[in-house]
Amino acid sequence: MPNGSVKLQSIKKLGQENHSYDFTNEEPAGSYMTMTNSKDNEKGQKNVDQPAIRVGFFQLFRFATCKQVLMMAAGSFCAILHGSAQPLMLLVFGLLTDTFIEYDIELNELADDRKECVNNTIQWKRNYTAADTLNQTNWSLMNNSTLEMLIPLKNRSCGILDIEYEMTLFAFYYVGIGAAVFVLGYFQISLWVTAAARQIQLIRKLYFSKVMRMEIGWFDCTSVGELNTRMSDDINKINDAIADQVAIFLQRFTTFVCGFCVGFVKGWKLTLVIVAASPLIGIGTGLMALFVAKLTGMELQAYAKAGAVADEVLSSIRTVAAFGGELKEVQRYDKNLVSAQRWGIRKGLIMGFFTGYIWLIIFLCYGLAFWYGSSLVIDTEEYTPGTLLQVFFGVLIAAMNLGQASPCLEAFAAGRGAATIIFETIDREPEIDCLSEAGYKLDRVKGDIEFHNVTFHYPSRPEVKILDQVSVAVNSGETTAFVGPSGAGKSTAIQLIQRFYDPKEGMVTLDGHDIRGLNIQWLRSLIGIVEQEPVLFATTIAENIRYGRPGVTMEDIIAAAKEANAYNFIKELPQEFDTLVGEGGGQMSGGQKQRIAIARALVRNPRILLLDMATSALDNESEAIVQEALDKVRMGRTTISIAHRLSTIKNADVIVGFEHGRAVERGKHNDLLERKGVYFTLVTLQSQGDKALNEKARQMADKEEEAGRLSRAGSYRASLRASIRQRSRSQLSNLIPESSVPMAGELGPRAYAVSQADKSKNAIPEEEEEPVEPAPVARILKYNIPEWPYMLFGSFGAAINGGVNPVYSLLFSQILATFSVIDPVAQRKEIDSICLFFVMVGVVSFFTQMLQSYAFSKSGELLTRRLRRLGFHAMLGQEIGWFDDHRNSPGALTTRLATDASQVQGATGSQIGMIVNSLTNIGVAILMSFYFSWKLTLLILCFLPFIALSGGFQARMLTGFAKEDKQAMERAGRISGEALNNIRTIAGLGKERSFVDLYEAQLDAPYRMALKKANVYGACYGFAQCVIFLTNSASYRFGGYLVRQEGLHFSLVFRVISAIITSGTALGRASSYTPDYAKAKISAARFFQLLDRVPQISVYSQKGDKWDNFQGNIDFIDCKFTYPTRPDIQVLNGLNVSVKPGQTLAFVGSSGCGKSTSVQLLERFYDPDQGRVLIDGHDSTCVSVPFLRSKIGIVSQEPILFDCSIAENIKYGDNLREIGMNEVISAAKKAQLHDFVMSLPEKYDTNVGAQGSQLSRGQKQRIAIARAIIRDPKILLLDEATSALDTESEKTVQDALDKAREGRTCIVIAHRLSTIQNSDIIAVMSRGFLMEKGTHDQLMALKGAYYKLVTTGAPIS
């Protein structure tokens, strides 16, 4: 039951690999196959300079042991045998056909009542011939029939052929081959998969242990993310290349070879005729791949324009919102979608054309083969009908299997590409091998370290010299401090002592021995290091300390914790030393982490202690404690301390000053101060800064004490730590000497609390988006309703395409029937008409394929465009807070528009076509079969579920396994990820070996899973392959019975069997089509989630207050506010300030004090958490958003312009009406812009470039001012509008602003005091509330914060 069905898959959008075609062919033997032509040209273009694949195919197996080689050899042998099963089947099938036809001819002969069967040959009945010779004279009686009888009959045997017995024999052949196929299929898969699992486990182990041995310089040049993907994805690719794919490739290739052999041996003439037509199909598929690639490219390019619009708009959403441009932008986006839609539809049409063309060729081919073949059977009698079928299907099967073998080649190529880098890493010898046994171990270590003319640069940045001829001696038992500006090479010197790197020139010695000659693990075991950002591992506190030295007792751990001042806080934790510190130590505060790290360094009982800014990240209180701990442990050890805070260095024995990679001075604190060198400048800079800060800190602390009693502490009482610190702040400032207040801009504890909270918060939302329930199809279709005529026509086309398969089996069996017709003339005529019918079917399917493809691509593209527009519209309608969430970054949103919308197509257009196609296919086949022979049909239907199941089951199995594999590998992945991210810490502790062991232990589970998978997958594969053999065996045996007992015509047996089996595979195909469908439903659900989200501040709704005489009275009453993405930082803390119409209010204060935030509340980008903003006495939350924003004009520090002309950018100021050119020019004149624009060649039509990149800052700023003026706002907001300009532009812009301010309420935020002196009210803010307000003169008289600012003349930041 042959059948070559071609299935068109939807071409996936956005250049995913195109598996555009699946040809499936149902042979007698049957296994159902798919030939996929897919293009991977994207991969080939990346590495041009050296070949990306430097590993030969057989080198992939270099880690196989003898046992595995044997397994693979046995597997290959099975695969080759399995491959020859199908062509073998054809031989049986040919004999079977001949038997049926012979039997039918005998029946036809004996149907003539003048013939009888005598001695097993057919002869004329006696009495007929006798009568004839008597009447020879009477010619008038002679007629045709009697003339015919005078010719002696050909020798036709009769009565020998027992059709049922023959069929039983054939059934046993089928069952035998089926059983063999099951066993061979099982072994070929399970042996290969098992062998591969072992090798992959070995490759993972080797790769990870080699990576852990690499020197640190190698990690500088290789990103950790890349290593992690290599460990997961690349090794999986190797797995794909050396596992079941090899077996399947061998099997298919053997089938290809054997199929052609059968064809050529049995009948070379017909084989050549069929082969001659095949280039036409090849040309068709080739051209189609070419066109589809080109058109996909065009479509992507067309969409890229729309994508750029979306990206531009979403990146500058605040500007769009402020000027009410949402609907205008949606229109602009939609305009750009039209061309993408056009290309998509063209692609659909072209694909339809080529699919139809390929179908047409296939049917013409069938027609030709049967016509020529039948002439060979009947006229020259070279072939029997069975031979004809053997040749025909031999060539067909061969072609199919060649097509199916090609995807395996891609897997091999991908595997070799992935193996290239992995094997090169495995073969690479590390320059500093941390696990080598070589090198001396000294008996006594005194601890003198000396640098001799050391020159060094990092391997990742060879052009930058970090250390330049450094010579420094560090004496044992002393504390030496390295100081100097950052980048002077202090930390690098420490890393050289640990031998993370080797110096390029010179040497580092320990007690006079070059450390390159010492054993690395031993050397590192002498050194304890405490880094600036200590790394803890995701385990308990005790385990973290134990990492310092293997085999350490609990007493030692407790002692070390006591020395490090960590014991008390650990004891206060509920689980004490068994408390988990969290990923990267995230559950601990900075001070706690630091002290655990110190305990870990101490438990080593090191001779040498390296402190790399060990206290810089701490607030005062923790610093004091940690510093005390460090002072305790330094006794009697060689200590090198790097620090920026001088308080921590003053009491060092020796201070070494670094500058530009050289050690420039050395001595004690007082000596160096007298030298007035590097150290002196550092000290003086720092103490000045400290004094100023301390002053301010004291004032702040007093203020905060009062405020804190009421509302303050609430905001971060979340953590007890913070509140304790709050209370102790006032005492601290008396205890700790002045200079130890941190240099960081914001003051101590506060800054610290924030950064901690920030970190732990940011760690959480990194999780992927919350899972969504797949959307109901009904709702997706609802969006597609306007296209119902297209969908109707498409379904009509699909229905006819579905009917083609059963019609094909009808024609095929009809041809077989003609071979048993006795009359040669009738026979010839019938054959010709059938061949013509093949041609007709081909032509019809050509047109219906085009119709189906075009109609569905049209409806799909229209749906995609509609969804993109709606999605974009919904995005622009969200409140600004929604865009702050990192999951809604402009990049993420544009991708969502691009991919999700186009994936939704998969649930409507092509999917419906596919379903209709399968349903009609199955429906027509079953109706036809029941009509011809209901008994046989019922028998075969019993097997149908298995055929459909085996296909679906195989697909399910593989996806299921992939998922379980992934979970099993995740545990190993966590270990490798933690190890690679903290490689420096692990190297410092010498813990590489234990991480390798941990990782290897985790590999056991995936390996065992793979073995289980090998068996299950092998069994499934074998079963899937043998089901069809068994079906055939049962149905032909039963068919023989029906032919004999019930006189069923033999051609009907073939008709029913081929019709149902092809429809069964259609069913299997429909079920394999679901991944796209599932993906589409999830994409749609994500989309609907966006469409259904109700924004907290709605831009599109017209609800809310509006009033006519808008004055511009603004009052902030006790406003409190935190940003939704950072709920733990109070930005506004009870802000009270009001402005009368026409007044100018200026906000001043350091950055982060809430100036810009208050402006955003006024624009209603956000609403305050507590308190109210009143506009003309109306609460801002009740005012209509579009109305309110239409009264406000804003000029911000970095004005955002859109990628269009200057005139269009100015017109953007008012999107509610059409603006004439005169208005634009008058606004430009007011903004001092007109003269400059007139000097440009294209004047107002000059394009400003993306984000205004073609213009200078001052020019952009003036366009933004013109844009605000044209709006004619009642309220003007100037957010640091001149801060980024040079003096000259500033003057021009300032004049423009002063002009613009006339008669409007104005709020100014500025850092330069000159710009705000003439404001009506100046409000000085700090930390979210008002410190003082009044006019310039009043505030100067107060001699408060403002006075200080003006007199020191410092910019406020």
Side-chain angles (χ1 to χ4, degrees):
M1 301 94 303
N3 137 14
S5 64
V6 176
K7 135 190 171 206
L8 176 57
Q9 291 189 341
S10 70
I11 282 288
K12 298 181 197 144
K13 285 270 130 42
L14 295 171
Q16 299 175 3
E17 292 177 9
N18 263 324
H19 292 292
S20 352
Y21 273 105
D22 279 23
F23 279 65
T24 67
N25 200 55
E26 239 6 285
E27 318 84 44
S31 64
Y32 133 59
M33 315 277 192
T34 49
M35 161 163 115
T36 347
N37 124 46
S38 76
K39 21 176 264 310
D40 245 345
N41 44 14
E42 300 89 5
K43 287 184 192 158
Q45 294 161 3
K46 286 184 194 153
N47 305 28
V48 188
D49 41 0
Q50 61 176 153
I53 297 181
R54 299 188 287 281
V55 174
F57 178 67
F58 290 103
Q59 283 172 282
L60 288 176
F61 302 101
R62 51 183 270 202
F63 297 113
T65 58
C66 287
K67 186 174 149 199
Q68 282 143 33
V69 172
L70 276 175
M71 283 166 91
M72 293 188 294
S76 308
F77 181 65
C78 291
I80 289 170
L81 285 182
H82 184 175
S84 56
Q86 269 185 319
L88 233 173
M89 225 30 271
L90 286 178
L91 300 178
V92 180
F93 181 62
L95 295 174
L96 181 140
T97 316
D98 280 345
T99 312
F100 265 131
I101 289 178
E102 230 169 285
Y103 182 71
D104 201 50
I105 291 176
E106 182 183 321
L107 289 185
N108 285 349
E109 290 276 359
L110 292 177
D112 184 340
D113 54 3
R114 297 166 307 161
K115 298 177 183 169
E116 58 181 357
C117 182
V118 179
N119 292 339
N120 292 339
T121 52
I122 294 178
Q123 296 176 355
W124 298 113
K125 283 191 177 165
R126 282 286 158 72
N127 47 4
Y128 269 90
T129 24
D132 263 12
T133 36
L134 292 177
N135 297 348
Q136 262 176 346
T137 49
N138 188 349
W139 288 101
S140 61
L141 283 176
M142 300 283 283
N143 56 13
N144 268 350
S145 65
T146 35
L147 258 180
E148 189 180 37
M149 288 175 63
L150 290 176
I151 306 161
L153 282 170
K154 275 193 216 149
N155 247 348
R156 285 215 179 264
S157 63
C158 66
I160 299 174
L161 190 64
D162 175 356
I163 190 83
E164 281 199 67
Y165 169 75
E166 293 288 330
M167 285 303 131
T168 311
L169 194 63
F170 286 129
F172 281 132
Y173 279 140
Y174 267 110
V175 170
I177 293 183
V181 162
F182 177 77
V183 173
L184 292 172
Y186 167 73
F187 278 115
Q188 89 181 45
I189 295 290
S190 62
L191 287 173
W192 272 97
V193 173
T194 310
R198 195 76 241 195
Q199 293 173 61
I200 289 300
Q201 188 189 20
L202 190 63
I203 290 177
R204 282 190 206 279
K205 282 184 180 173
L206 284 170
Y207 185 66
F208 185 68
S209 62
K210 180 53 71 95
V211 167
M212 290 304 284
R213 281 172 58 185
M214 288 298 172
E215 72 276 10
I216 303 289
W218 185 80
F219 285 96
D220 294 346
C221 307
T222 320
S223 78
V224 173
E226 194 182 327
L227 288 175
N228 277 330
T229 32
R230 270 191 219 154
M231 301 198 68
S232 52
D233 304 357
D234 286 9
I235 294 187
N236 286 346
K237 278 185 193 151
I238 299 182
N239 189 18
D240 289 344
I242 66 176
D244 49 341
Q245 291 289 348
V246 185
I248 292 174
F249 177 75
L250 280 172
Q251 174 203 329
R252 289 179 177 166
F253 192 72
T254 314
T255 307
F256 160 70
V257 174
C258 294
F260 265 118
C261 288
V262 170
F264 278 111
V265 170
K266 289 286 184 182
W268 57 272
K269 288 186 184 173
L270 183 58
T271 306
L272 287 176
V273 171
I274 300 174
V275 170
S278 52
L280 289 172
I281 294 182
I283 290 170
T285 29
L287 280 176
M288 172 161 147
L290 202 74
F291 275 108
V292 167
K294 217 175 182 62
L295 287 168
T296 308
M298 294 299 216
E299 188 182 5
L300 286 177
Q301 225 170 344
Y303 179 68
K305 278 209 191 87
V309 171
D311 197 44
E312 179 178 49
V313 172
L314 294 170
S315 315
S316 39
I317 185 73
R318 282 184 159 78
T319 308
V320 175
F323 290 105
E326 289 93 356
L327 294 170
K328 186 173 177 177
E329 295 303 353
V330 174
Q331 233 84 48
R332 182 161 74 121
Y333 180 67
D334 195 38
K335 267 215 294 289
N336 281 310
L337 287 176
V338 179
S339 58
Q341 170 195 321
R342 254 190 244 123
W343 282 111
I345 293 170
R346 271 180 220 167
K347 188 167 85 179
L349 193 59
I350 289 223
M351 283 192 54
F353 172 80
F354 278 112
T355 317
Y357 161 81
I358 288 171
W359 267 113
L360 177 64
I361 297 287
I362 285 176
F363 275 108
L364 291 179
C365 219
Y366 287 161
L368 174 71
F370 282 127
W371 177 80
Y372 177 63
S374 57
S375 74
L376 288 177
V377 172
I378 293 160
D379 303 346
T380 62
E381 299 201 353
E382 291 181 37
Y383 293 1
T384 65
T387 316
L388 165 62
L389 293 186
Q390 287 170 351
V391 173
F392 182 68
F393 289 128
V395 176
L396 257 182
I397 290 174
M400 291 304 142
N401 279 283
L402 184 64
Q404 289 170 318
S406 59
C408 302
L409 293 174
E410 273 170 38
F412 300 155
R416 287 169 55 198
T420 302
I421 299 184
I422 287 181
F423 287 1
E424 281 177 6
T425 305
I426 290 177
D427 296 335
R428 183 178 183 276
E429 276 309 309
E431 291 170 26
I432 304 175
D433 184 352
C434 58
L435 293 182
S436 78
E437 300 296 319
Y440 301 108
K441 304 180 180 179
L442 307 179
D443 298 334
R444 284 188 58 256
V445 179
K446 206 164 133 221
D448 289 331
I449 298 173
E450 199 168 345
F451 286 77
H452 299 271
N453 293 333
V454 173
T455 301
F456 178 73
H457 53 75
Y458 284 108
S460 54
R461 298 196 306 273
E463 66 287 341
V464 185
K465 252 192 195 172
I466 304 287
L467 294 181
D468 189 7
Q469 305 278 324
V470 171
S471 296
V472 174
V474 176
N475 301 329
S476 69
E478 289 189 345
T479 297
T480 308
F482 288 180
V483 297
S486 56
K490 308 185 296 295
S491 298
T492 309
I494 278 195
Q495 295 194 25
L496 288 179
I497 296 173
Q498 286 180 282
R499 212 174 154 213
F500 283 171
Y501 303 95
D502 283 337
K504 297 288 170 274
E505 293 170 29
M507 62 178 179
V508 181
T509 58
L510 169 67
D511 292 352
H513 297 267
D514 184 342
I515 61 171
R516 280 176 291 199
L518 303 174
N519 179 292
I520 297 197
Q521 288 287 330
W522 174 83
L523 170 71
R524 289 182 186 165
S525 70
L526 301 176
I527 301 176
I529 180 160
V530 182
E531 295 143 303
Q532 183 174 5
E533 284 278 312
V535 173
L536 300 186
F537 298 101
T539 164
T540 61
I541 294 181
E543 281 305 307
N544 264 301
I545 297 178
R546 195 168 277 135
Y547 268 122
R549 192 172 91 219
V552 71
T553 61
M554 202 60 210
E555 285 73 56
D556 296 344
I557 292 183
I558 292 173
K562 282 183 176 157
E563 275 191 46
N565 274 354
Y567 185 71
N568 296 345
F569 93 78
I570 296 178
K571 272 301 182 203
E572 281 165 15
L573 297 168
Q575 286 149 321
E576 301 187 358
F577 278 93
D578 296 332
T579 310
L580 288 171
V581 300
E583 187 76 29
Q587 307 296 314
M588 302 278 137
S589 76
Q592 291 168 339
K593 283 201 321 201
Q594 203 56 282
R595 281 176 284 169
I596 294 173
I598 293 174
R600 180 173 67 192
L602 293 183
V603 101
R604 295 174 84 87
N605 192 5
R607 287 296 307 128
I608 300 165
L609 192 60
L610 307 177
L611 307 176
D612 187 350
M613 310 228 233
T615 56
S616 67
L618 306 182
D619 56 283
N620 303 344
E621 185 184 354
S622 326
E623 186 190 0
I625 298 170
V626 172
Q627 194 52 52
E628 189 186 341
L630 290 176
D631 290 342
K632 265 205 302 215
V633 302
R634 292 201 319 227
M635 294 306 146
R637 295 189 167 104
T638 307
T639 308
I640 297 182
S641 156
I642 295 183
H644 279 174
R645 301 193 191 163
L646 301 174
S647 54
T648 53
I649 309 175
K650 273 189 185 153
N651 44 7
D653 300 318
V654 182
I655 297 173
V656 179
F658 275 80
E659 197 175 29
H660 304 312
R662 290 208 160 111
V664 284
E665 53 188 18
R666 162 187 179 130
K668 281 214 171 354
H669 175 72
N670 298 334
D671 315 341
L672 292 180
L673 282 182
E674 284 164 19
R675 276 193 57 176
K676 292 198 169 27
V678 181
Y679 185 67
F680 176 75
T681 46
L682 283 172
V683 174
T684 45
L685 277 175
Q686 208 166 341
S687 45
Q688 277 174 7
D690 284 347
K691 279 211 175 65
L693 274 169
N694 267 356
E695 253 326 278
K696 201 159 167 196
R698 287 229 177 85
Q699 290 177 1
M700 294 300 305
D702 303 341
K703 262 219 181 100
E704 264 182 24
E705 284 303 275
E706 296 135 35
R709 288 286 137 60
L710 311 167
S711 68
R712 208 26 189 280
S715 76
Y716 40 77
R717 183 151 295 138
S719 56
L720 248 179
R721 286 211 299 285
S723 57
I724 292 170
R725 210 174 287 137
Q726 182 118 23
R727 285 201 299 279
S728 57
R729 179 184 293 153
S730 47
Q731 303 140 19
L732 261 179
S733 35
N734 311 332
L735 293 176
I736 294 178
E738 280 188 6
S739 57
S740 68
V741 177
M743 276 283 317
E746 279 212 303
L747 307 158
R750 181 77 191 272
Y752 171 66
V754 168
S755 70
Q756 252 331 86
D758 236 25
K759 264 191 205 135
S760 52
K761 222 179 125 350
N762 290 353
I764 304 157
E766 285 305 314
E767 293 305 300
E768 266 312 291
E769 313 195 350
E770 62 286 355
V772 289
E773 281 299 298
V777 183
R779 179 162 181 198
I780 302 176
L781 286 177
K782 219 192 263 138
Y783 283 97
N784 219 343
I785 282 174
E787 283 79 50
W788 68 267
Y790 289 115
M791 294 171 83
L792 195 69
F793 277 114
S795 303
F796 171 69
I800 294 179
N801 287 334
V804 162
N805 268 344
V807 167
Y808 161 76
S809 52
L810 189 97
L811 293 176
F812 158 66
S813 59
Q814 206 50 47
I815 281 194
L816 291 183
T818 57
F819 288 133
S820 67
V821 174
I822 300 172
D823 179 2
V825 185
Q827 198 177 29
R828 186 78 261 175
K829 201 169 150 204
E830 211 171 318
I831 285 177
D832 290 350
S833 68
I834 291 174
C835 292
L836 264 177
F837 206 85
F838 266 124
V839 175
M840 273 170 51
V841 173
V843 173
V844 169
S845 86
F846 174 67
F847 287 111
T848 53
Q849 286 284 359
M850 269 178 76
L851 175 69
Q852 175 185 352
S853 187
Y854 171 72
F856 283 128
S857 74
K858 178 98 178 175
S859 77
E861 289 296 329
L862 288 166
L863 172 73
T864 298
R865 175 182 166 195
R866 180 174 301 119
L867 282 178
R868 278 178 177 156
R869 197 191 63 235
L870 288 169
F872 191 58
H873 184 267
M875 283 174 189
L876 295 188
Q878 303 300 335
E879 74 275 9
I880 302 292
W882 184 75
F883 291 94
D884 295 342
D885 184 346
H886 74 105
R887 280 181 304 214
N888 302 324
S889 65
L893 292 178
T894 37
T895 338
R896 208 181 292 177
L897 282 174
T899 51
D900 281 5
S902 61
Q903 274 172 0
V904 173
Q905 263 187 1
T908 59
S910 43
Q911 179 70 21
I912 292 173
M914 194 64 210
I915 290 170
V916 171
N917 196 322
S918 299
L919 286 180
T920 48
N921 192 335
I922 293 165
V924 172
I926 287 179
L927 284 174
M928 197 172 89
S929 310
F930 271 112
Y931 170 73
F932 288 120
S933 165
W934 61 270
K935 292 183 178 171
L936 187 54
T937 309
L938 282 177
L939 172 78
I940 303 177
L941 283 182
C942 300
F943 284 95
L944 201 59
F946 292 111
I947 295 179
L949 261 178
S950 66
F953 193 57
Q954 229 176 321
R956 280 296 302 280
M957 290 259 327
L958 291 184
T959 50
F961 273 134
K963 209 187 204 139
E964 287 184 0
D965 272 358
K966 205 170 159 185
Q967 284 163 345
M969 279 311 299
E970 246 163 31
R971 307 251 298 281
R974 270 209 294 277
I975 289 176
S976 64
E978 187 173 35
L980 297 174
N981 281 320
N982 309 326
I983 186 72
R984 279 190 152 75
T985 306
I986 290 173
L989 294 170
K991 274 281 167 278
E992 294 93 349
R993 167 71 64 227
S994 58
F995 270 89
V996 173
D997 295 342
L998 262 177
Y999 180 74
E1000 292 184 356
Q1002 288 298 339
L1003 285 180
D1004 236 24
Y1007 172 64
R1008 277 203 297 278
M1009 287 264 328
L1011 295 189
K1012 193 173 87 188
K1013 160 174 145 185
N1015 293 316
V1016 182
Y1017 175 29
C1020 283
Y1021 184 77
F1023 176 68
Q1025 299 290 322
C1026 83
V1027 162
I1028 291 198
F1029 288 93
L1030 300 180
T1031 311
N1032 282 334
S1033 116
S1035 31
Y1036 283 120
R1037 172 67 190 85
F1038 187 55
Y1041 166 81
L1042 292 176
V1043 170
R1044 175 70 180 274
Q1045 304 296 335
E1046 308 197 357
L1048 182 71
H1049 192 268
F1050 83 95
S1051 68
L1052 300 185
V1053 176
F1054 284 98
R1055 185 168 302 172
V1056 170
I1057 294 175
S1058 64
I1060 293 195
I1061 286 190
T1062 56
S1063 67
T1065 55
L1067 192 75
R1069 251 205 333 275
S1071 68
S1072 75
Y1073 199 69
T1074 47
D1076 257 16
Y1077 179 59
K1079 218 191 286 174
K1081 280 169 63 171
I1082 285 182
S1083 295
R1086 284 220 294 266
F1087 230 83
F1088 295 149
Q1089 219 179 12
L1090 174 66
L1091 296 180
D1092 297 340
R1093 185 176 187 280
V1094 180
Q1096 292 160 356
I1097 301 174
S1098 172
V1099 187
Y1100 298 128
S1101 82
Q1102 292 303 317
K1103 289 202 286 286
D1105 307 347
K1106 302 179 182 175
W1107 58 97
D1108 295 335
N1109 50 348
F1110 189 94
Q1111 305 271 295
N1113 228 331
I1114 306 170
D1115 297 288
F1116 289 92
I1117 302 176
D1118 205 20
C1119 285
K1120 295 201 170 138
F1121 178 71
T1122 58
Y1123 282 106
T1125 46
R1126 298 199 305 267
D1128 42 2
I1129 304 177
Q1130 194 76 30
V1131 184
L1132 292 184
N1133 211 344
L1135 175 68
N1136 284 302
V1137 69
S1138 58
V1139 194
K1140 303 269 175 299
Q1143 279 189 328
T1144 299
L1145 162 70
F1147 279 126
V1148 294
S1150 62
S1151 60
C1153 68
K1155 310 186 295 293
S1156 301
T1157 308
S1158 47
V1159 169
Q1160 298 198 34
L1161 288 184
L1162 184 58
E1163 278 268 18
R1164 271 204 82 194
F1165 286 166
Y1166 303 96
D1167 285 335
D1169 302 339
Q1170 284 170 295
R1172 294 181 301 169
V1173 179
L1174 298 185
I1175 291 130
D1176 284 2
H1178 299 256
D1179 189 334
S1180 68
T1181 49
C1182 309
V1183 181
S1184 150
V1185 179
F1187 168 75
L1188 171 63
R1189 288 184 185 163
S1190 69
K1191 301 293 181 202
I1192 301 179
I1194 184 165
V1195 182
S1196 52
Q1197 180 176 7
E1198 274 289 327
I1200 290 179
L1201 303 183
F1202 294 100
D1203 191 356
C1204 50
S1205 71
I1206 293 183
E1208 281 167 344
N1209 266 304
I1210 296 179
K1211 284 181 186 167
Y1212 202 87
D1214 199 335
N1215 289 311
L1216 301 175
R1217 58 196 174 97
E1218 270 305 305
I1219 299 176
M1221 212 46 218
N1222 292 339
E1223 274 191 81
V1224 172
I1225 290 173
S1226 80
K1229 282 183 173 150
K1230 282 187 194 151
Q1232 314 267 352
L1233 176 73
H1234 182 67
D1235 306 334
F1236 148 71
V1237 177
M1238 293 320 272
S1239 67
L1240 296 170
E1242 293 172 36
K1243 310 208 162 58
Y1244 279 96
D1245 293 332
T1246 310
N1247 192 351
V1248 300
Q1251 282 147 12
S1253 52
Q1254 306 294 311
L1255 305 175
S1256 75
R1257 285 250 223 20
Q1259 293 159 349
K1260 285 203 295 201
Q1261 202 58 280
R1262 282 176 289 171
I1263 293 180
I1265 293 171
R1267 179 170 69 186
I1269 291 175
I1270 210 161
R1271 207 171 167 77
D1272 191 27
K1274 285 280 178 280
I1275 302 174
L1276 189 60
L1277 307 177
L1278 307 176
D1279 187 350
E1280 311 200 18
T1282 57
S1283 66
L1285 307 180
D1286 54 288
T1287 331
E1288 204 168 327
S1289 331
E1290 186 182 2
K1291 246 210 195 91
T1292 340
V1293 172
Q1294 196 54 50
D1295 293 349
L1297 288 176
D1298 290 344
K1299 260 202 190 129
R1301 283 194 336 212
E1302 286 159 15
R1304 298 189 167 102
T1305 307
C1306 192
I1307 296 184
V1308 187
I1309 295 175
H1311 279 174
R1312 304 202 187 170
L1313 298 176
S1314 54
T1315 53
I1316 49 174
Q1317 282 175 357
N1318 47 7
S1319 309
D1320 301 308
I1321 309 171
I1322 296 173
V1324 183
M1325 286 180 73
S1326 167
R1327 300 234 173 135
F1329 59 99
L1330 217 58
M1331 288 173 69
E1332 47 192 35
K1333 66 175 185 186
T1335 60
H1336 175 71
D1337 301 331
Q1338 288 169 338
L1339 292 178
M1340 289 304 278
L1342 252 180
K1343 296 229 156 116
Y1346 182 74
Y1347 170 76
K1348 220 177 193 156
L1349 283 171
V1350 178
T1351 47
T1352 55
I1356 310 163
S1357 62

